[in-house]
Amino acid sequence: MQNLVLYRENYSQINKKITYYKRLGIHGLLINPFSEINEKIIEEIFALNDLLVKNNIKLFLQMDIEQSSKILLESDEQIDWVNPKIRTSFYQFINYLKKHKLKGFYYTNFEKLFADDFYFYIREMAKNIFLGEDTLSIGQINSDELAYQKFLSNTNYQNFDYIYNKKNSKKNMTDLQEVKKYFSSIQNENIRQIFITDNLLKNFINTKNFPFFSHSLVTGVTFLLNGGVLLENFEELGIFENNNYSNDHKVLDQTNKTFDFYKELINIKTNIEAIKRGTYREIFANDPDIFAFIRTYEDKKVIVFANFSQKEVLADIRFHFIDINDFKYLLGNYGKRKIAKNLLLRPYEFIAFTK
């Protein structure tokens, strides 16, 4: 599935919110159900999966490989992944779930476990449990190494379909150009990452004075990069902790505005070919305030502009496009506007045009 949009959820709450998920347009739900493994829990997961399949939503199970192996073996002792019986037990459990139509898996806590011969164990996992019709696998890692990320997620290697890099939310970069370079390196190496909106770009916004524009700016850029997105904690409703709304009307207005923005981004990520399959090219790489890029698929294009400052910035785009008049408005956090050779970007403005 191209450009997966996942929602992390408590699985006990899902039945009540199916209509909400469908309205938002997400592709899958991620749950972490295995504090224990027994017949009752397995049956509940199968029933939940059947319900979600009927509503065109894929269920993803978070699998802590070390903890799951301990539960399966009914042991509190340290797991020795060198032992083939332990590995086989885990693979058999995953294949049992796949046999019962579970198609999404989010693997955690494996980097230290595989330390003896990491690349061998990843290839063995790929051979035993990654392959299968419509099966998607995500690996949670903690690394800056691009070659390592590429090996784990690039389709040429047939390992994970995506990776989620926890390190992205822990860094504290203070130079926007450095952050842009990092994102560009991921895009240009075709590393299939799952991003969160609470990412490296959060250091360059002002949520106190510009709550909606700041949040939607980061969200817009995150969604229109190549890769998946993981949502959680009702972020799509935009009730930010720094806001002290004085009445219910303001709360409702903020909630509806942010929800509609997320909904439209998910629709674009699902249906616009240049975003689904397009290549990535950064423009204005040396600009200290603007993060801008072009996504291209065949003759289709999407241009994204994002102003990460609380001042107006003029973007001279005359030398980047010869077909500027062919572009039309796609989405923005300030509302509809026309593309121009000299594009004035307002404080924390996000805007995208398509051809």
Side-chain angles (χ1 to χ4, degrees), residues 138-180:
I138 302 167
Q140 180 177 290
I141 66 166
N142 189 25
S143 174
D144 283 325
E145 231 182 289
L146 287 178
Y148 172 68
Q149 296 180 55
K150 185 174 181 178
F151 170 76
L152 290 178
S153 68
N154 188 292
T155 54
N156 292 335
Y157 297 100
Q158 296 184 321
N159 293 319
F160 295 110
D161 294 289
Y162 291 94
I163 54 171
Y164 168 62
N165 193 353
K166 288 187 71 175
K167 207 152 194 178
N168 283 352
S169 60
K170 295 178 180 177
K171 291 181 182 177
N172 189 31
M173 292 185 181
T174 56
D175 184 342
L176 181 63
Q177 288 172 259
E178 184 183 1
V179 174
K180 292 193 296 182

Side-chain angles (χ1 to χ4, degrees), residues 212-213 252-262 333:
F212 172 74
F213 293 115
L252 185 62
D253 179 65
Q254 178 70 77
T255 299
N256 289 338
K257 183 191 296 184
T258 310
F259 181 89
D260 289 343
F261 188 76
Y262 270 74
N333 58 1

Side-chain angles (χ1 to χ4, degrees), residues 47-225:
L48 176 59
N49 186 59
D50 289 342
L51 176 63
L52 291 175
V53 167
K54 290 176 183 176
N55 287 279
N56 296 314
I57 298 173
K58 186 184 288 284
L59 181 63
F60 282 76
L61 302 181
Q62 183 165 325
M63 307 296 303
D64 180 322
I65 295 181
E66 183 175 28
Q67 185 62 30
S68 299
S69 297
K70 286 182 178 181
I71 295 171
L72 290 168
L73 296 168
E74 298 180 338
S75 170
D76 289 327
E77 295 182 10
Q78 185 174 349
I79 293 297
D80 183 4
W81 202 248
V82 174
N83 187 337
K85 291 183 179 179
I86 292 176
R87 305 201 305 271
T88 299
S89 173
F90 182 76
Y91 300 153
Q92 286 176 340
F93 180 58
I94 297 297
N95 284 319
Y96 168 74
L97 296 175
K98 287 171 63 177
K99 184 178 178 181
H100 288 79
K101 302 180 182 179
L102 270 298
K103 301 293 187 181
F105 298 92
Y106 180 102
Y107 297 101
T108 68
N109 202 15
F110 57 85
E111 290 179 297
K112 288 183 180 179
L113 193 65
F114 292 5
D116 273 346
D117 197 344
F118 183 88
Y119 291 95
F120 170 78
Y121 295 136
I122 287 292
R123 297 305 297 145
E124 185 183 70
M125 278 183 69
K127 180 180 177 181
N128 282 277
I129 59 176
F130 289 171
L131 302 178
E133 186 180 355
D134 296 329
T135 300
L136 286 175
S137 61
I138 302 167
Q140 180 177 290
I141 66 166
N142 189 25
S143 174
D144 283 325
E145 231 182 289
L146 287 178
Y148 172 68
Q149 296 180 55
K150 185 174 181 178
F151 170 76
L152 290 178
S153 68
N154 188 292
T155 54
N156 292 335
Y157 297 100
Q158 296 184 321
N159 293 319
F160 295 110
D161 294 289
Y162 291 94
I163 54 171
Y164 168 62
N165 193 353
K166 288 187 71 175
K167 207 152 194 178
N168 283 352
S169 60
K170 295 178 180 177
K171 291 181 182 177
N172 189 31
M173 292 185 181
T174 56
D175 184 342
L176 181 63
Q177 288 172 259
E178 184 183 1
V179 174
K180 292 193 296 182
K181 184 178 179 181
Y182 176 74
F183 276 112
S184 292
S185 64
I186 292 171
Q187 300 291 293
N188 293 330
E189 291 290 344
N190 292 316
I191 295 169
R192 291 173 62 86
Q193 274 206 25
I194 297 280
F195 298 107
I196 57 173
T197 58
D198 185 24
N199 60 36
L200 300 174
L201 295 170
K202 66 185 178 183
N203 293 331
F204 306 96
I205 56 177
N206 182 344
T207 55
K208 182 177 180 180
N209 297 322
F210 299 86
F212 172 74
F213 293 115
S214 291
H215 183 73
S216 56
L217 175 73
V218 172
T219 303
V221 171
T222 302
F223 267 86
L224 298 192
L225 292 169

Side-chain angles (χ1 to χ4, degrees), residues 338-352:
K338 293 182 178 180
I339 196 167
K341 294 178 180 179
N342 288 287
L343 189 65
L344 185 66
L345 299 173
R346 290 162 287 191
Y348 302 109
E349 182 166 15
F350 159 85
I351 190 163

